[in-house]
mmCIF file of all heavy atoms in Angstrom:
data_model
loop_
_atom_site.group_PDB
_atom_site.id
_atom_site.type_symbol
_atom_site.label_atom_id
_atom_site.label_comp_id
_atom_site.label_asym_id
_atom_site.label_seq_id
_atom_site.Cartn_x
_atom_site.Cartn_y
_atom_site.Cartn_z
ATOM 1 N N SER A 353 46.876 19.278 19.076
ATOM 2 C CA SER A 353 47.862 18.219 18.714
ATOM 3 C C SER A 353 48.533 17.597 19.896
ATOM 4 O O SER A 353 48.876 16.472 19.905
ATOM 5 C CB SER A 353 48.841 18.743 17.629
ATOM 6 O OG SER A 353 49.738 19.624 18.252
ATOM 7 N N LEU A 354 48.677 18.393 21.013
ATOM 8 C CA LEU A 354 49.155 17.775 22.268
ATOM 9 C C LEU A 354 48.221 16.723 22.793
ATOM 10 O O LEU A 354 48.701 15.640 23.264
ATOM 11 C CB LEU A 354 49.361 18.818 23.397
ATOM 12 C CG LEU A 354 50.621 19.650 23.304
ATOM 13 C CD1 LEU A 354 50.539 20.808 24.372
ATOM 14 C CD2 LEU A 354 51.783 18.854 23.622
ATOM 15 N N LYS A 355 46.905 16.995 22.595
ATOM 16 C CA LYS A 355 45.952 16.028 23.107
ATOM 17 C C LYS A 355 46.029 14.710 22.268
ATOM 18 O O LYS A 355 45.674 13.590 22.729
ATOM 19 C CB LYS A 355 44.533 16.555 22.868
ATOM 20 C CG LYS A 355 44.097 17.442 24.100
ATOM 21 C CD LYS A 355 42.662 17.831 23.831
ATOM 22 C CE LYS A 355 42.233 18.884 24.842
ATOM 23 N NZ LYS A 355 41.017 19.576 24.303
ATOM 24 N N SER A 356 46.471 14.786 20.985
ATOM 25 C CA SER A 356 46.465 13.669 20.112
ATOM 26 C C SER A 356 47.750 12.826 20.370
ATOM 27 O O SER A 356 47.870 11.696 19.766
ATOM 28 C CB SER A 356 46.351 14.020 18.686
ATOM 29 O OG SER A 356 47.522 14.674 18.222
ATOM 30 N N VAL A 357 48.668 13.226 21.190
ATOM 31 C CA VAL A 357 49.865 12.451 21.426
ATOM 32 C C VAL A 357 49.453 11.304 22.447
ATOM 33 O O VAL A 357 48.920 11.617 23.503
ATOM 34 C CB VAL A 357 51.023 13.302 22.114
ATOM 35 C CG1 VAL A 357 52.190 12.338 22.509
ATOM 36 C CG2 VAL A 357 51.499 14.363 21.221
ATOM 37 N N PRO A 358 49.609 10.040 22.052
ATOM 38 C CA PRO A 358 49.159 8.933 22.944
ATOM 39 C C PRO A 358 49.840 9.015 24.330
ATOM 40 O O PRO A 358 50.953 9.246 24.525
ATOM 41 C CB PRO A 358 49.583 7.698 22.143
ATOM 42 C CG PRO A 358 49.935 8.147 20.797
ATOM 43 C CD PRO A 358 50.281 9.592 20.904
ATOM 44 N N GLN A 359 48.927 8.622 25.338
ATOM 45 C CA GLN A 359 49.390 8.712 26.687
ATOM 46 C C GLN A 359 50.547 7.699 26.953
ATOM 47 O O GLN A 359 51.408 7.895 27.781
ATOM 48 C CB GLN A 359 48.244 8.335 27.600
ATOM 49 C CG GLN A 359 48.362 8.784 28.992
ATOM 50 C CD GLN A 359 48.698 10.270 29.284
ATOM 51 O OE1 GLN A 359 48.214 11.009 28.495
ATOM 52 N NE2 GLN A 359 49.557 10.518 30.265
ATOM 53 N N SER A 360 50.460 6.581 26.107
ATOM 54 C CA SER A 360 51.469 5.540 26.276
ATOM 55 C C SER A 360 52.908 5.996 26.020
ATOM 56 O O SER A 360 53.871 5.542 26.649
ATOM 57 C CB SER A 360 51.153 4.335 25.411
ATOM 58 O OG SER A 360 50.980 4.733 24.130
ATOM 59 N N TYR A 361 53.061 6.898 25.130
ATOM 60 C CA TYR A 361 54.355 7.542 24.857
ATOM 61 C C TYR A 361 54.943 8.095 26.068
ATOM 62 O O TYR A 361 56.064 7.887 26.517
ATOM 63 C CB TYR A 361 54.348 8.645 23.818
ATOM 64 C CG TYR A 361 54.077 8.162 22.370
ATOM 65 C CD1 TYR A 361 53.582 6.867 22.113
ATOM 66 C CD2 TYR A 361 54.342 8.989 21.288
ATOM 67 C CE1 TYR A 361 53.290 6.476 20.819
ATOM 68 C CE2 TYR A 361 54.095 8.635 20.028
ATOM 69 C CZ TYR A 361 53.597 7.396 19.737
ATOM 70 O OH TYR A 361 53.339 6.971 18.467
ATOM 71 N N ARG A 362 54.090 8.922 26.768
ATOM 72 C CA ARG A 362 54.570 9.595 27.969
ATOM 73 C C ARG A 362 54.979 8.553 29.065
ATOM 74 O O ARG A 362 56.009 8.632 29.673
ATOM 75 C CB ARG A 362 53.470 10.563 28.493
ATOM 76 C CG ARG A 362 53.139 11.646 27.541
ATOM 77 C CD ARG A 362 52.250 12.685 28.159
ATOM 78 N NE ARG A 362 51.786 13.550 27.224
ATOM 79 C CZ ARG A 362 50.738 13.637 26.510
ATOM 80 N NH1 ARG A 362 49.789 12.656 26.744
ATOM 81 N NH2 ARG A 362 50.443 14.553 25.661
ATOM 82 N N GLU A 363 53.976 7.585 29.175
ATOM 83 C CA GLU A 363 54.217 6.578 30.312
ATOM 84 C C GLU A 363 55.515 5.729 30.048
ATOM 85 O O GLU A 363 56.298 5.454 30.877
ATOM 86 C CB GLU A 363 53.010 5.583 30.311
ATOM 87 C CG GLU A 363 51.826 6.266 31.044
ATOM 88 C CD GLU A 363 50.491 5.656 30.718
ATOM 89 O OE1 GLU A 363 50.536 4.647 30.018
ATOM 90 O OE2 GLU A 363 49.464 6.205 31.226
ATOM 91 N N GLY A 364 55.728 5.474 28.706
ATOM 92 C CA GLY A 364 56.923 4.662 28.407
ATOM 93 C C GLY A 364 58.147 5.495 28.789
ATOM 94 O O GLY A 364 59.105 4.986 29.402
ATOM 95 N N ALA A 365 58.210 6.837 28.490
ATOM 96 C CA ALA A 365 59.297 7.616 28.812
ATOM 97 C C ALA A 365 59.493 7.749 30.290
ATOM 98 O O ALA A 365 60.613 7.680 30.869
ATOM 99 C CB ALA A 365 59.196 9.005 28.154
#
Side-chain angles (χ1 to χ4, degrees):
Chain A
S353 69
L354 276 173
K355 273 184 193 160
S356 69
V357 176
Q359 196 59 34
S360 54
Y361 287 18
R362 298 187 184 98
E363 282 159 6

